[in-house]
């Protein structure tokens, strides 16, 4: 029998123990935490749509009209008109024939990878891909070739070794812990020339990069060409759930073989209604995306002025790498005490020795509050010894 207390103690000893924080109220640019107002810099509500009045209203109306829950999986009796309407809306937005909703991005990734690759085949996965992609590779029972981050030469070498066993290349569009963008064109060319499919996870790219926030695949001019585009409804689209865009035949295969789609209850009508309203707002108010980009640039340059390097980040995900887990959490706590709520990210979410304080920016932040936050974090970083105090 596993000793639960000993396992928890081991996590504490390694500085890896996690606990839940309680946020009071919706995900605005500031939130109340422990009775105090703090600047929220760790929410994925990038465009301020989770707390938008029209999105809340749409969720409420969907609950009134269609009920609080879907009652069953889509293939049993849970398939409703709002699901189909949102799938068409998402497919059109992303430039694809078809789309399929999933319960979450985690489920979309695990289910899709396992449906498209199997024993005897090889999946190619960037070393910094999200945990849900890693787990999808494991579940597929295919061999996984993990290529060095964004390294097309390494990927090409792996594809050559795999020959006809190459089934799927999979990458985050925007990397969730680093905020950099995948080399989508290069991935596409390599996948094509080796007869493998390409799947891009746009969880952090939708609403943030590309024309009108359409993501990294659109930014590369490959909408409708990359075989599969995954996205979540839980981040910029302010709701919950996820989707896969692809050709009609591939979507049909997912309906018939993606286990998280088949064996899980359909998305609830309020989640679907909220996402549909959020997508309408994204399309009708593309200036939100511009504002997000400008805010991200403001935070990156304000942190740089404090001597805090933001490495590869070119998006709204802005990490400062600290290294040791404990020191990262010291900085996280001190920043929070001073009113800046950013999350310390530790292994296994990031590789050993690369713990970081990760900021996520929203379009609804003000430039001055981001500059003030960077100053506060700079001072806190000097106090905990992350950057040397000038002599
Ligand atoms: C790149 C990436 N893919 C997928 C997911 C999972 O999405 P969801 O929160 O909808 O399960 C996340 C969530 O953090 C993510 O960062």
């Amino acid at each position: 029998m596993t000793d639960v207390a000993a396992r928890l103690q081991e996590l504490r000893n390694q500085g890896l123990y996690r606990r839940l924080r309680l946020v009071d109220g919706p995900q605005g640019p500031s939130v109340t935490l422990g009775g105090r107002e703090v600047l929220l810099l760790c929410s994925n509500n990038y465009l301020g749509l989770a707390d938008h009045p029209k999105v809340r209203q749409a969720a409420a109306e969907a609950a009134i009209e269609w009920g609080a829950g879907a009652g069953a999986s889509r293939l049993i009796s849970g398939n409703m008109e709002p699901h189909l309407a949102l799938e068409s809306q998402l497919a059109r937005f992303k430039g694809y024939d078809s789309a399929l909703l999933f319960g979450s991005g985690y489920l979309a990734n695990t289910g899709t990878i396992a449906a498209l690759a199997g024993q005897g085949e090889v999946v190619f996965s960037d070393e910094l891909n999200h945990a849900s992609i890693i787990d999808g590779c494991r579940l597929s029972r295919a061999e996984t070739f993990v290529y060095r981050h964004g390294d097309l030469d390494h990927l090409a070498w792996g594809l050559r070794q795999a020959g006809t066993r190459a089934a799927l290349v999979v990458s985050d569009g925007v990397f969730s812990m680093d905020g950099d963008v995948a080399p989508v064109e290069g991935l596409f060319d390599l996948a094509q020339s080796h007869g493998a499919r390409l799947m891009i996870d746009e969880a952090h790219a939708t609403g943030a990069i590309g024309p009108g926030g359409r993501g990294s695949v659109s930014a590369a001019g490959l909408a409708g060409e990359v075989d599969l585009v995954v996205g979540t409804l839980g981040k910029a689209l302010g709701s919950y759930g996820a989707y896969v865009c692809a050709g009609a035949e591939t979507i049909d295969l997912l309906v018939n073989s993606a286990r998280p789609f088949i064996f899980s209850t359909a998305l609830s009508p309020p989640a679907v209604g909220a996402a549909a309203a959020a997508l309408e707002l994204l399309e009708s108010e593309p200036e939100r995306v511009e504002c997000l980009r400008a805010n991200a640039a403001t935070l990156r340059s304000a942190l740089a002025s404090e001597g805090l390097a933001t490495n590869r980040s070119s998006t709204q995900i802005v990490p400062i790498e600290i290294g040791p887990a404990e020191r990262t959490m010291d900085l996280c706590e001190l920043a929070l005490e001073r009113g800046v709520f950013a999350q310390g990210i530790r292994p296994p979410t990031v590789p050993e020795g690369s713990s970081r304080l990760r900021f996520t920016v929203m379009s609804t932040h003000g430039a001055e509050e981001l500059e003030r936050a960077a100053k506060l974090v700079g001072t806190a970083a000097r106090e905990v010894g992350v950057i040397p105090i000038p002599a």
Side-chain angles (χ1 to χ4, degrees):
M1 192 167 64
T2 320
D3 184 338
V4 171
R7 289 180 70 175
L8 285 170
Q9 191 52 47
E10 195 181 329
L11 288 172
R12 284 193 190 93
N13 295 345
Q14 294 169 330
L16 298 179
Y17 180 74
R18 297 164 192 234
R19 68 189 170 83
L20 295 166
R21 298 186 201 272
L22 185 60
V23 169
D24 193 2
Q27 300 275 298
S30 296
V31 286
T32 306
L33 194 73
R36 272 187 333 126
E37 187 172 305
V38 292
L39 188 67
L40 180 59
L41 281 167
C42 51
S43 173
N44 302 318
N45 180 24
Y46 297 131
L47 301 177
L49 297 176
D51 54 327
H52 192 287
K54 284 190 182 161
V55 177
R56 295 183 194 199
Q57 184 67 31
E61 282 168 11
I64 300 296
E65 191 175 353
W66 296 93
S73 70
R74 298 276 297 279
L75 285 168
I76 302 294
S77 66
N79 190 33
M80 296 170 169
E81 201 241 303
H83 295 119
L84 300 184
L86 179 57
E87 284 170 345
S88 308
Q89 200 183 345
L90 286 163
R92 187 183 37 75
F93 179 70
K94 288 285 189 174
Y96 279 79
D97 290 349
S98 307
L100 188 67
L101 293 173
F102 278 78
S104 70
Y106 186 93
L107 295 172
N109 278 335
T110 52
T112 302
I113 296 169
L116 289 172
Q119 226 153 19
E121 296 183 309
V122 186
V123 181
F124 299 83
S125 174
D126 188 290
E127 67 179 330
L128 296 187
N129 276 344
H130 188 255
S132 53
I133 293 179
I134 297 171
D135 292 356
C137 293
R138 288 177 182 150
L139 280 170
S140 74
R141 301 208 185 116
E143 189 185 314
T144 305
F145 179 87
V146 178
Y147 59 91
R148 287 188 293 270
H149 180 51
D151 186 337
L152 296 174
D153 292 334
H154 194 208
L155 172 60
W157 182 85
L159 283 161
R160 283 196 299 276
Q161 302 305 305
T164 55
R165 295 188 304 130
L168 183 69
V169 176
V170 54
S171 175
D172 283 12
V174 167
F175 286 87
S176 57
M177 297 301 140
D178 293 77
D180 57 336
V181 182
V184 176
E185 271 181 83
L187 295 175
F188 179 75
D189 290 344
L190 280 175
Q192 285 264 301
S193 59
H194 289 83
R197 290 192 175 80
L198 177 62
M199 167 173 160
I200 300 290
D201 175 0
E202 301 275 44
H204 296 277
T206 301
I209 69 167
R214 282 172 174 75
S216 67
V217 170
S218 268
L222 292 169
E225 311 252 356
V226 165
D227 300 275
L228 299 115
V229 166
V230 176
T232 175
L233 305 176
K235 302 188 194 293
L237 292 176
S239 177
Y240 189 70
Y243 56 93
V244 178
C245 293
E249 201 174 39
T250 303
I251 294 296
D252 201 17
L253 177 73
L254 294 180
V255 169
N256 282 277
S257 56
R259 293 170 68 85
F261 176 82
I262 299 171
F263 297 111
S264 192
T265 302
L267 269 189
S268 71
V272 174
L279 186 51
E280 267 170 38
L281 281 166
L282 168 55
E283 290 194 272
S284 62
E285 298 175 7
E287 60 277 11
R288 286 176 184 274
V289 181
E290 293 313 319
C291 200
L292 177 65
R293 284 180 193 150
N295 278 351
T298 298
L299 182 64
R300 283 196 305 272
S301 87
L303 288 169
S305 308
E306 292 297 313
L308 293 163
T310 57
N311 295 348
R312 299 184 279 254
S313 167
S314 61
T315 65
Q316 78 285 2
I317 296 173
V318 184
I320 50 174
E321 194 169 315
I322 313 293
E326 271 180 17
R327 190 179 285 185
T328 303
M329 293 320 289
D330 288 345
L331 177 57
C332 173
E333 292 302 331
L334 191 56
L336 186 54
E337 238 172 65
R338 310 229 164 127
V340 177
F341 183 19
Q343 205 43 278
I345 308 283
R346 296 165 282 174
T349 311
V350 291
E352 201 63 50
S354 73
S355 291
R356 62 201 68 181
L357 193 63
R358 172 183 176 265
F359 303 90
T360 52
V361 179
M362 297 187 216
S363 63
T364 45
H365 284 129
E368 330 68 53
E369 56 190 0
L370 294 171
E371 281 160 0
R372 201 167 348 109
K375 278 211 162 55
L376 283 169
V377 172
T379 307
R382 281 183 280 279
E383 285 176 35
V384 299
V386 165
I387 41 179
I389 300 170

